[in-house]
Amino acid sequence: PLASSLPSTISFSVPSASITVSPKAFTELTKKVKEQYGCSVEASTQMRTGLRTFFIRGPDDKRAAMAKKTIERGISKVETQTMDVPLSTLGTIIGPKGANLKVITDATGCRIDIPRRDQLPSAPVNGNKDRDDDASDSEDEEVEDPAVPISLTGPTPAIVDAKNRINALIKDKVSYTSVKIKDIPSEYYLFIAGPKGKKAKEELEQGVGQDQVQVHIPPPSVWKALASREDATAQADNADGAISAPSERKRDLAITVKGDKDKVVAVVDEIRRQYDDYVATTTKMIISLPK
C-alpha cells in the first residue's frame, strides 16, 4: 500500500552513534517489516543533533507498534547486562520446565543466562532450626535472601523489555518481607497491642500499614507460660544442687510484622516510636499481695 493510505503513524529517534547496522542490512530490515506488518519505514538524520529519526506508517496502531519494536531491536547493537534477583525467585523466573523463561526470551528475543545450580549461593538457613517447635514460629531469625546475578544478552531495547518482564514476574516475592522486633520487653506488648489487639489493628495494620501488613504481638498467655516454664526449670536445677545455666529463652518473644516491604518499614518505625514514648512516660512498679 502507498504510505499515504496507512492511517497509523509512529516516529522515534535514536542517536546515530548507537546504530551499528549497515545500510544494506537496514534495507533488508525495512523489507522484513513491510512483509510482516504491512508498514512502511522512512528514516532521516539530523546532523545538528546527531539523531536519526524513523517514521513508521501502518494499517493500525498494533502493527505499527510491532514494526517499531522490530526496527528498534534491528538497529541497536547487541550487548550484555546483568541484573540481581533474589535466590528464592529463580523458580518463578524459570517456571515449570522453563516455561516462564521461554515466554520471556521468545517475546523479547533476548538471551537470558542463569547460573548453574552448583554455582548458586547457599540457600538461607534458619538459625533456630534446632529449637523447640513452639518457639520456632516466634523467634526464628529473619535471614537475608542472597542475590543471584543473571545475564541478559541482546539489543538494548530487548534487554530493557526482558528486565521489565522479569521484575513484573517476581514483584510480589520481592516486595514482601517479614521483620521480627526482639528488643522490646514483653511488659510493653499490652500497651502497643491495646485491648484484644484492637489498637495494633487500627493504628498499625489499617492506619500506617494501609491494610498491607500483618502485626503479630504475642499475647500475655504466651509469654507468661514461657516465664512459668523457665521458673520451673530453674527450680528443678536448684533442687538438684546444680547451678542453673542462663536460659536461651529468657529473651521476650518477638513482635512480627509481615507484608509489603515499604509498609513494614513504616510500621516497625511506628512501633519503636510508641515504645520510646512509653519508656519516657511510664514507671514500673511491682506490688506483692497475699494469696
Side-chain angles (χ1 to χ4, degrees), residues 247-283:
S247 173
E248 294 181 0
R249 303 285 307 286
K250 193 171 184 178
R251 183 176 54 198
D252 292 314
L253 293 175
I255 297 175
T256 307
V257 185
K258 299 180 181 180
D260 179 81
K261 184 177 293 184
D262 293 335
K263 298 297 187 298
V264 165
V265 172
V267 169
V268 170
D269 289 342
E270 174 61 18
I271 291 175
R272 294 193 181 281
R273 186 198 65 78
Q274 291 185 13
Y275 168 63
D276 291 339
D277 287 346
Y278 291 132
V279 170
T281 59
T282 60
T283 301

Side-chain angles (χ1 to χ4, degrees), residues 34-266:
K34 192 169 186 178
E35 292 173 357
Q36 288 187 344
Y37 308 112
C39 298
S40 66
V41 182
E42 298 176 2
S44 64
T45 302
Q46 302 175 16
M47 302 303 295
R48 183 176 59 85
T49 60
L51 294 176
R52 188 165 178 80
T53 303
F54 298 87
F55 300 91
I56 300 174
R57 295 181 175 88
D60 53 59
D61 292 342
K62 182 178 180 180
R63 279 185 277 188
M66 294 296 293
K68 176 191 173 186
K69 194 176 189 181
T70 302
I71 293 293
E72 281 182 328
R73 295 176 183 182
I75 64 175
S76 301
K77 63 180 180 180
V78 175
E79 61 177 330
T80 299
Q81 298 182 17
T82 61
M83 68 179 294
D84 292 334
V85 299
L87 176 63
S88 61
T89 64
L90 288 183
T92 302
I93 295 172
I94 297 173
K97 298 182 179 180
N100 293 348
L101 194 62
K102 187 176 186 305
V103 168
I104 296 174
T105 54
D106 289 348
T108 63
C110 183
R111 193 181 81 223
I112 302 174
D113 295 318
I114 296 177
R116 297 168 39 143
R117 187 183 298 273
D118 57 359
Q119 297 175 339
L120 295 176
S122 300
V125 178
N126 189 335
N128 294 313
K129 187 176 180 181
D130 297 331
R131 291 192 178 183
D132 301 8
D133 292 340
D134 59 344
S136 59
D137 291 340
S138 300
E139 292 194 342
D140 285 350
E141 293 285 350
E142 188 67 22
V143 289
E144 184 177 356
D145 197 359
V148 176
I150 61 176
S151 65
L152 303 92
T153 303
T156 304
I159 292 178
V160 173
D161 189 9
K163 284 184 176 181
N164 291 336
R165 289 172 182 267
I166 290 174
N167 286 327
L169 198 61
I170 64 176
K171 179 181 177 181
D172 292 340
K173 290 182 176 292
V174 173
S175 63
Y176 181 88
T177 189
S178 175
V179 174
K180 294 182 182 295
I181 308 174
K182 296 187 175 183
D183 55 354
I184 296 180
S186 56
E187 55 258 35
Y188 291 94
Y189 284 7
L190 290 176
F191 292 96
I192 298 172
K196 297 182 179 179
K198 183 178 180 181
K199 183 172 180 287
K201 185 172 184 62
E202 293 179 353
E203 294 184 6
L204 299 177
E205 294 184 352
Q206 298 176 355
V208 181
Q210 299 179 5
D211 287 326
Q212 297 183 48
V213 299
Q214 292 180 334
V215 180
H216 174 68
I217 302 176
S221 58
V222 174
W223 43 269
K224 284 182 178 178
L226 177 61
S228 298
R229 189 169 67 180
E230 289 177 347
D231 291 342
T233 302
Q235 291 176 4
D237 290 342
N238 292 333
D240 295 337
I243 299 177
S244 179
S247 173
E248 294 181 0
R249 303 285 307 286
K250 193 171 184 178
R251 183 176 54 198
D252 292 314
L253 293 175
I255 297 175
T256 307
V257 185
K258 299 180 181 180
D260 179 81
K261 184 177 293 184
D262 293 335
K263 298 297 187 298
V264 165
V265 172

